[in-house]
Amino acid sequence: MPHCLFADANIRRFFISASIQAKKIFSPVYKLFALLREQVSIIAETVIDNGGDIDKIMGEKMLIAFHTGEKKLNDVAVLACKVANMIETSGRIHFKVSVGVNYGQVISGFLGVGDKRDFTIIGDPVNVAARIAVFAEKLKGNRVVVSENIKELVKDKIETEEYGEVALKGKSMPLKVFRII
């Protein structure tokens, strides 16, 4: 099973933002969709240019993977956090994002039938990253939030602040999470 670091980027409240913005500037919805498409392109370009992969784009959400391969795990964890922070603070995006970063063993491969087959990555680390991103939506300021195992991997190179233990959907025990400063 490969080891991957996951960043689940969630474009915060796109539909709410879209409806509010549409009322303010009287723009048709297709213009707002064009802004969303541009934002997804900016995020994808940032990720790919820095060694990550876009596994899935699901509406306003993106599943991003950083594969360890031959690289040192700590270096890849630092890279994933830096890229997540670059996305959040770039000033190039139209809508706010929240990002959850986690690490762990996963199963990857093609799933589906016939023409509906798609490469995918599944496992608890992916789900936890997505749940952390949903939690991060509620925060003010920087919304790049990492799991405790990521924090331990990057503690010498990335400054974090402990948020505390949070209950995440699908988890029986609360998990400790940290915000990147």
Side-chain angles (χ1 to χ4, degrees):
M1 285 188 264
H3 287 79
C4 291
L5 290 120
F6 299 96
D8 191 273
N10 187 2
I11 300 169
R12 288 182 50 172
R13 299 184 181 100
F14 169 72
F15 295 106
I16 293 170
S17 297
S19 63
I20 290 169
Q21 224 171 358
K23 290 176 186 173
K24 284 183 182 175
I25 60 175
F26 307 102
S27 293
V29 174
Y30 73 87
K31 287 186 180 180
L32 294 171
F33 189 76
L35 291 175
L36 175 63
R37 186 180 326 180
E38 183 180 331
Q39 179 156 324
V40 166
S41 294
I42 289 167
I43 293 170
E45 177 184 304
T46 302
V47 168
I48 293 166
D49 286 352
N50 287 283
D53 289 318
I54 306 298
D55 179 65
K56 295 274 181 295
I57 299 172
M58 304 149 289
E60 78 283 4
K61 297 182 180 192
M62 300 174 76
L63 175 58
I64 299 163
F66 288 84
H67 305 278
T68 53
E70 300 297 318
K71 301 172 199 153
K72 290 172 58 176
L73 181 57
N74 293 37
D75 293 339
V76 178
V78 168
L79 177 63
C81 290
K82 284 183 177 179
V83 169
N85 209 40
M86 285 170 40
I87 291 167
E88 168 72 14
T89 61
S90 72
R92 296 177 58 206
I93 57 177
H94 306 290
F95 305 101
K96 295 178 182 178
V97 297
S98 60
V99 181
V101 183
N102 192 31
Y103 158 77
Q105 287 189 331
V106 297
I107 298 172
S108 62
F110 285 93
L111 191 60
V113 179
D115 291 343
K116 295 293 182 182
R117 289 171 40 109
D118 194 15
F119 185 81
T120 194
I121 301 170
I122 58 174
D124 190 56
V126 176
N127 297 334
V128 169
R131 302 295 191 258
I132 292 172
V134 169
F135 164 76
E137 287 180 9
K138 302 170 191 163
L139 302 177
K140 295 184 191 291
N142 191 335
R143 291 169 301 275
V144 177
V145 178
V146 302
S147 63
E148 187 171 16
N149 60 5
I150 290 291
K151 189 258 186 205
E152 288 303 314
L153 290 170
V154 303
K155 66 183 173 188
D156 296 332
K157 296 190 178 181
I158 303 278
E159 190 176 352
T160 61
E161 102 184 321
E162 183 175 339
Y163 188 83
E165 290 188 342
V166 297
L168 299 176
K169 182 179 174 184
K171 302 304 284 180
S172 59
M173 301 293 293
L175 297 177
K176 197 179 284 188
V177 295
F178 301 80
R179 182 194 324 231
I180 293 180
I181 300 175

